[in-house]
Amino acid sequence: MIKNYINGQWGESQGRESVEVVNPATKELLDRCPLGTPGDVDRAVQAASSAFVSWRRTPVIDRVQPFFRLKTLMEENLPALARQVTIENGKILAEAIGSVRRAIQMVETACGMPSLMMGQFSEDIAGEIDCLSVRQPIGVFASINPFNFPAMVPFWFWPFAVAAGNTFIVKPSERVPLTQIKIFELIEKAGFPKGVINMVQGGKEVVNALLAHPTIKGISFVGSTPVAKYVYQTGTANLKRVQALGGAKNSMVVLPDASLEKSARVAFESITGCAGERCLAGSVVICVGDEVDRKFRDLVIPIASDTIVGNGLEARVQMGPVISEAARERIKGLIQSAVDEGADLLLDGRKNLGDLPGFFLRPTVIGGVRPGMRIAEEEIFGPVVCLAKVDSFDDAIRWINSSPYGNTTTLFTTSGAAARKFSYEVDPGMVGINIGVPAPMAFFSFGGRKDSFFGDVKAHGNQCINFFTDTKVITERWLKDSSIW
């Protein structure tokens, strides 16, 4: 049974129920994850709260030293960590390696906390009066993490919180807890003081306990929009800071001047990478004009047909499984809804799966997608290419801005003027120009808009320092002492 990590020690959960952790490529039972209890959460909070007293007084230059050691340990163990990601999540090994590298980049950026959390100073704001502001840590924070990036997503939050002087509790997804077990073994070796960084396993009961615990000051979440909204509403009702990253429906626009062959390849990789299970995945490819639509179909169908699907540990495989049978059935249902609503099923990825033992789908290509169809509006989270046609660039922008989601969008063009218009007018918070997955680096902030993000301050980069610290402003005047002057 998988364990918790609280106050520098590995221990059993108080929860008596558990869920299976299954390799989605083989259906092999890997382990069981306990469904923790509010008691588990409270023990972790007490440990983190006690550790905060001394950790917040630790000079920032000393707080970042364990991060330098952790960076080295993660680089040395990158192959093993990536392999574990593939085994429990299903994404191919190259994708898993990339996700672990992203986690390492977060650690690298957090090492710059001595500069990132600097305040401001101004002298003589009035006669002989000076004013300064400092950023101070707040206390205990926690993150509730998704299944799709077992290594990377927790690192969007805790390195920045901890380097800034807070203490932290990580709740991995109960579907994929094994990667975080390996990472916490490295955290232990890196020498973080007891209680500074903790991990609690569990499901909804643990989530609710984290959201309700009065000592926890803030919550970071990544997952679906309905749950993100619930986390935001519940957390803020309990007077917590909350950043809740939700779902997406990312459209990609192709203009007639684009390099169509490159665009088709990039768009396809965006949509089907990680089997489509990422919040930055493309979904609907909006082709401007009949000719672009026809050519794009002709280009993308062979790419999709030739994609090698299988176990992500095998070198030749280009796409792995989705996370579960329930996920596969949900995606199949969305594909069928498109057919029922009159779309063109150009390539059916539900077929020819007999030789694949896990939760596999092959890439699907659907043409003639129109606004109002379920496939056009719901997040798929699977390897389904939706092709739509509009008459003008403005029509494409209106399509994007009509969506309740606002995570990412991409434009394929060779025109700088078109790129500027697009970046200026579209709603989503992250925009790509000729880039299929516009994922910001660790030193830029990450987050969407509308129903893709609930909160005020986004993840990683400079912005997140505002989330994990509070500003104190000090106005001071020193009167002259006649015995000295």
Side-chain angles (χ1 to χ4, degrees), residues 48-61 63 117 134-140 161-167 193 196 468-470 472:
S49 183
S50 296
F52 175 69
V53 176
S54 59
W55 184 245
R56 68 94 66 212
R57 293 180 178 273
T58 302
V60 62
I61 195 67
R63 290 201 300 261
M117 68 180 298
V134 295
R135 295 185 182 276
Q136 295 184 326
I138 302 170
V140 181
V162 169
N166 303 285
T167 53
V196 167
F468 293 119
T469 63
D470 200 15
K472 179 180 286 184

Side-chain angles (χ1 to χ4, degrees), residues 164-209:
N166 303 285
T167 53
F168 209 88
I169 301 166
V170 173
K171 192 208 87 67
S173 167
E174 62 273 27
R175 297 181 184 181
V176 290
L178 297 173
T179 301
Q180 283 301 309
I181 294 292
K182 287 187 176 294
I183 286 171
F184 267 75
E185 290 170 352
L186 301 181
I187 288 172
E188 192 173 29
K189 289 181 181 179
F192 288 89
K194 291 182 178 180
V196 167
I197 175 71
N198 308 273
M199 176 170 58
V200 175
Q201 310 292 346
K204 185 175 182 179
E205 190 174 9
V206 165
V207 169
N208 285 333

Side-chain angles (χ1 to χ4, degrees), residues 214-285:
T215 303
I216 293 177
K217 303 300 183 183
I219 296 285
S220 301
F221 170 85
V222 177
S224 69
T225 286
V227 182
K229 189 177 294 187
Y230 170 80
V231 167
Y232 181 74
Q233 292 173 337
T234 307
T236 54
N238 283 288
L239 306 180
K240 302 186 191 310
R241 298 183 174 198
V242 180
Q243 47 183 192
L245 286 71
K249 189 67 179 178
N250 305 317
S251 296
M252 314 177 81
V253 177
V254 186
L255 293 183
D257 70 308
S259 173
L260 291 185
E261 289 188 10
K262 290 182 179 179
S263 300
R265 177 67 63 181
V266 170
F268 179 79
E269 290 174 353
S270 171
I271 294 167
T272 62
C274 302
E277 294 177 325
R278 53 187 178 190
C279 65
L280 270 69
S283 183
V284 180
V285 180

Side-chain angles (χ1 to χ4, degrees), residues 275-336:
E277 294 177 325
R278 53 187 178 190
C279 65
L280 270 69
S283 183
V284 180
V285 180
I286 303 173
C287 299
V288 179
D290 292 333
E291 186 176 3
V292 175
D293 181 52
R294 177 181 56 78
K295 288 182 177 178
F296 211 88
R297 290 186 183 209
D298 292 343
L299 288 166
V300 80
I301 291 172
I303 297 172
S305 300
D306 293 342
T307 299
I308 300 171
V309 178
N311 191 321
L313 294 177
E314 297 176 11
R316 62 190 291 271
V317 167
Q318 297 169 297
M319 192 183 84
V322 295
I323 191 65
S324 66
E325 183 61 31
R328 179 166 68 170
E329 289 304 308
R330 179 186 56 78
I331 297 163
K332 284 182 176 180
L334 278 170
I335 295 169
Q336 187 58 47

Side-chain angles (χ1 to χ4, degrees), residues 67 118 122 135 144 164 171 185-186 191-192 206 208 276 290 296 321 387 442-443 446-447 458 469 478 480 483:
F67 286 96
M118 290 174 66
S122 183
R135 295 185 182 276
I144 302 164
K171 192 208 87 67
E185 290 170 352
L186 301 181
F192 288 89
V206 165
N208 285 333
D290 292 333
F296 211 88
L387 300 178
F443 37 85
F446 181 107
K458 297 181 181 180
T469 63
W478 295 95
K480 294 178 182 178
S483 66

